[in-house]
Amino acid sequence: MIGGKILLVSVPSINVPVRVFAPGGTEPELSNFTLEFTLDPDAASVRSMRSAYCAEERCFLPSGRPAELVFEFDNPTGSFDQGLVFYRLGSQSFGMTNCSGNACMSSALVACTEGSEVQLAITGRGGIPSQEDSGYPMIGASETLMCDAQAPRITSVSVLDDLESLNVVRENAPAQVRVVVQERNPGATVEVVLEESEEVFIGACAPEGDGQVCVAEVSFGEGPKTEKLTVRVKDVVGHAVEREVSVLVLEYRETDVAPEFFRVDVHADRMKPQSISRPMLAFTNEAGLAYPVYIPFELVALRSGAFPLRVQMRSCTYERDGERVGGGFFSDVRVADPTPRPGEENRIDLAVKGMSGFLL
């Protein structure tokens, strides 16, 4: 309607000439120009509305701090630059703060309970419906957001390389920072910051058991040194938790002469069991089983401060009738704890093949 006149048009656009006169409508003419109007025949609909915190096709909402919301509309001929779109989040109503073309963004703060569902819906305000710039009312829509009100909780942090010794790594070797966290929602990430170099390594988190495990690949550079690092886990909405860890980075040298750092005391007199009966060996042999035997041993440090990173069994022999025989009698020989500490009792686990007529 222009000047009290209703224009009925059937073409996509029209040009309307405008002449401006002084009050009273008398000459002379003050100005004249032409206005171009493009018709908008389509009502707008919501293509999507979500928070800025989405993972695995689910969007989340933080509690007690501003949440960024994104709205996208389908409207081939219209726009939303005037921002006449209103929405309800939970029990509160809000208006758009930034619209351009067929998209709007807004920020809203609500309080919610961990794990609860919060409704996001297009509404009106003060009797005015949400509408596009041409005045077409919006087609209503709603979406459900999941409340994330709690920060993750770190259960443990371990740093390992191929030595498999907790928080002890070789220089210039690839290592892995593994963080176990209590967090129910997907989308969490881990960030590892090295204090010395200020390098940052990013990793992802994945469900495991009742929580999640976050993994980042890290390199600590030259040793020997003690490297301090900060492990920071962020959940999908940005809650963060940190823990500091110290890692011993060892200098690595190759040598043809093995230094004598330890003595191994094997307590053969405490082997269990002390003997295996012939019927038992015959039974395990027929069943295709190996009979378990273990022998306690201790590592004795010969140099102050020396400790082993890993102990492996390379070979094993046994004596029969006073003669040393090869290790074919054992189907499996291993150290129970491959990362022992000096002075702590460990054991050699033996799996004995059934050989009838043999008595330990």
Side-chain angles (χ1 to χ4, degrees), residues 16-23 26-35:
V16 179
V18 178
R19 301 173 64 192
V20 181
F21 297 91
T26 59
E27 298 288 351
E29 182 180 281
L30 300 179
S31 177
N32 67 80
F33 52 89
T34 299
L35 293 177

Side-chain angles (χ1 to χ4, degrees), residues 7 36 40 43 52 54 74 83 101 107 110 125 131 133 170 187 208 245 248 263 292 302:
L7 303 179
E36 181 180 358
D40 182 3
C54 301
D74 282 321
S107 179
V110 297
R125 175 181 286 180
Q131 57 191 275
D133 292 345
R170 288 185 300 174
E208 185 172 301
V245 179
L248 180 60
R263 183 183 76 243
L302 301 180

Side-chain angles (χ1 to χ4, degrees), residues 169-174 194 196-197 199 201 218-225 227 249-251:
V169 299
R170 288 185 300 174
E171 62 181 0
N172 298 319
L194 304 188
E196 183 179 90
S197 64
E199 289 183 272
F201 301 87
V218 179
S219 178
F220 291 96
E222 301 288 338
K225 63 183 177 181
E227 178 74 70
V249 182
L250 302 179
E251 183 180 9

Side-chain angles (χ1 to χ4, degrees), residues 216-275:
E217 304 294 333
V218 179
S219 178
F220 291 96
E222 301 288 338
K225 63 183 177 181
T226 297
E227 178 74 70
K228 292 184 178 180
L229 54 89
T230 300
V231 176
R232 182 180 299 112
V233 177
K234 291 183 180 180
D235 67 14
V236 66
V237 300
H239 296 131
V241 61
E242 294 184 356
R243 180 175 293 188
E244 293 186 351
V245 179
S246 293
V247 177
L248 180 60
V249 182
L250 302 179
E251 183 180 9
Y252 182 70
R253 295 181 183 177
E254 292 188 1
T255 177
D256 294 330
V257 180
E260 293 187 0
F261 290 140
F262 303 97
R263 183 183 76 243
V264 180
D265 290 345
V266 179
H267 305 295
D269 57 326
R270 289 159 52 193
M271 179 180 68
K272 292 185 179 180
Q274 285 291 311
S275 63

